[in-house]
């Protein structure tokens, strides 16, 4: 079993930056692929970014490509999402997720989820 806890959410102005963190415990962090997803009120959960187990491969949704960076520190059992040039459209609850299989962009294929952290971008 894997437990995930997100932190770092908050209120930021348009064009600002924010870094989200996801602390993992339980199963060895290096054995799971990780991803970030977000869900706004009335909308379905959508893919944001994903990273392979060793961190050598990363994937991004077109909407965040060039602005967001996903990374992981396996020594600290922590996943990060650096968000720059934030837009009002980025306002959402952000979730970190993990799975024992290969990296995927599909939320239903992830096994472990955090509780979510609110990110609000004001105009």
């Amino acid at each position: 079993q894997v437990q995930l806890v997100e932190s770092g959410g908050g209120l930021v102005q348009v064009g600002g930056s924010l870094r989200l963190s996801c602390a993992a415990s339980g199963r060895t962090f290096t054995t799971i692929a990780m991803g970030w997803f977000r869900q706004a009120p009335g909308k379905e959960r959508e893919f944001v970014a994903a990273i392979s187990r060793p961190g050598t491969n990363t994937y991004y949704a077109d909407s965040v490509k060039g602005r967001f960076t996903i990374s992981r520190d396996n020594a600290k059992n922590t996943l990060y999402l650096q968000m720059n040039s934030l837009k009002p459209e980025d306002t959402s609850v952000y979730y970190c997720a993990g799975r024992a299989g290969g990296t995927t962009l599909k939320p239903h294929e992830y096994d472990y989820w955090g509780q979510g952290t609110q990110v609000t971008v004001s105009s």
Side-chain angles (χ1 to χ4, degrees), residues 49-117:
I51 189 167
S52 61
R53 307 179 201 192
T56 52
N57 298 313
T58 57
Y59 309 86
Y60 298 93
D62 289 340
S63 60
V64 306
K65 196 171 299 181
R67 299 189 298 120
F68 290 11
T69 302
I70 187 172
S71 63
R72 64 191 297 163
D73 187 336
N74 289 340
K76 295 182 178 180
N77 295 157
T78 304
L79 175 75
Y80 301 98
L81 183 67
Q82 178 65 49
M83 305 183 293
N84 298 323
S85 301
L86 285 163
K87 307 174 181 179
E89 307 93 272
D90 296 318
T91 294
S92 189
V93 175
Y94 284 72
Y95 300 88
C96 68
R99 70 188 303 266
T103 309
T104 180
L105 280 55
K106 304 173 182 177
H108 66 271
E109 293 184 343
Y110 281 81
D111 305 306
Y112 313 106
W113 293 87
Q115 82 291 343
T117 185

Side-chain angles (χ1 to χ4, degrees), residues 27-38:
R27 182 172 178 172
T28 304
F29 187 62
T30 55
T31 67
I32 56 176
M34 300 291 295
W36 285 99
F37 294 82
R38 64 188 183 186

